[in-house]
Amino acid sequence: MLKNLCQKVFGRSLWVYHANSGGCNGCDIEVLNVLTPYYDVERFGIKLVGSPRHADVMLCQGPAMRSTSKALKRAYEAMPAPKLVFAIGSCACGGGIWHDTYAVKGPVETVIPVNFYVPGCPPRPEAIIYGVAVAAGLVPKSVAPVEFKQTADFPMPRYHPEELKKQGEMVIYEKLSRI
């Protein structure tokens, strides 16, 4: 439903406003990397704008700081009516490593409503592009199956000291039990 609404409302191109509310700038660098000619997001119609008054989408990096929360809220309110907000990175999604410090209010959603989350510390540029493109309905959502493989043979063997038998200089375990 949200995908159809996004395609209808943002059918042409997405104009993106980039807002950093006080993180370590790791996610900031990755977002700027997305905007370089190497990734060329303009082929999807995604364009960076300098004012929130012209933006359809706000990309937020960093946690909601006490010192920048009013400016972040003001920028959100300046955006025109159909608007999307992305929380980019672990700090914007959950507060990151500063989630319980005196200067941090928490994740960005404590100040403004967030529509989509792109986790990671920092997330790769491909993940940011994919998140925005899926939200805008430009590409279909796909999930790759994950298969976990156990490298060690579990349960681990457990040896008891009373089951040791010394033969010359070598120590041999007589009985092997599993945990």
Side-chain angles (χ1 to χ4, degrees), residues 146-150:
V146 177
E147 184 178 321
F148 294 103
K149 293 183 180 178
Q150 194 168 341

mmCIF file of all heavy atoms in Angstrom, residues 146-150:
data_model
loop_
_atom_site.group_PDB
_atom_site.id
_atom_site.type_symbol
_atom_site.label_atom_id
_atom_site.label_comp_id
_atom_site.label_asym_id
_atom_site.label_seq_id
_atom_site.Cartn_x
_atom_site.Cartn_y
_atom_site.Cartn_z
ATOM 1 N N VAL A 146 19.195 -16.431 3.926
ATOM 2 C CA VAL A 146 20.433 -16.478 4.700
ATOM 3 C C VAL A 146 20.589 -17.880 5.251
ATOM 4 O O VAL A 146 19.671 -18.423 5.866
ATOM 5 C CB VAL A 146 20.400 -15.454 5.857
ATOM 6 C CG1 VAL A 146 21.645 -15.549 6.692
ATOM 7 C CG2 VAL A 146 20.235 -14.059 5.308
ATOM 8 N N GLU A 147 21.740 -18.462 5.029
ATOM 9 C CA GLU A 147 22.013 -19.795 5.526
ATOM 10 C C GLU A 147 23.188 -19.713 6.488
ATOM 11 O O GLU A 147 24.262 -19.249 6.123
ATOM 12 C CB GLU A 147 22.357 -20.722 4.364
ATOM 13 C CG GLU A 147 22.561 -22.152 4.801
ATOM 14 C CD GLU A 147 22.861 -23.039 3.611
ATOM 15 O OE1 GLU A 147 22.261 -22.838 2.545
ATOM 16 O OE2 GLU A 147 23.708 -23.937 3.759
ATOM 17 N N PHE A 148 22.964 -20.135 7.705
ATOM 18 C CA PHE A 148 24.019 -20.113 8.710
ATOM 19 C C PHE A 148 24.679 -21.471 8.767
ATOM 20 O O PHE A 148 24.002 -22.491 8.824
ATOM 21 C CB PHE A 148 23.453 -19.747 10.092
ATOM 22 C CG PHE A 148 22.938 -18.348 10.159
ATOM 23 C CD1 PHE A 148 21.581 -18.087 10.113
ATOM 24 C CD2 PHE A 148 23.814 -17.285 10.254
ATOM 25 C CE1 PHE A 148 21.100 -16.802 10.169
ATOM 26 C CE2 PHE A 148 23.346 -15.987 10.299
ATOM 27 C CZ PHE A 148 21.987 -15.754 10.262
ATOM 28 N N LYS A 149 25.991 -21.472 8.762
ATOM 29 C CA LYS A 149 26.737 -22.719 8.843
ATOM 30 C C LYS A 149 27.585 -22.700 10.101
ATOM 31 O O LYS A 149 28.210 -21.703 10.426
ATOM 32 C CB LYS A 149 27.639 -22.884 7.619
ATOM 33 C CG LYS A 149 26.877 -23.076 6.343
ATOM 34 C CD LYS A 149 27.799 -23.302 5.192
ATOM 35 C CE LYS A 149 26.987 -23.479 3.928
ATOM 36 N NZ LYS A 149 27.820 -23.662 2.764
ATOM 37 N N GLN A 150 27.578 -23.812 10.768
ATOM 38 C CA GLN A 150 28.367 -23.947 11.981
ATOM 39 C C GLN A 150 29.724 -24.519 11.591
ATOM 40 O O GLN A 150 29.811 -25.564 10.958
ATOM 41 C CB GLN A 150 27.634 -24.876 12.943
ATOM 42 C CG GLN A 150 28.164 -24.836 14.327
ATOM 43 C CD GLN A 150 27.215 -25.550 15.265
ATOM 44 O OE1 GLN A 150 26.055 -25.745 14.959
ATOM 45 N NE2 GLN A 150 27.717 -25.937 16.394
#
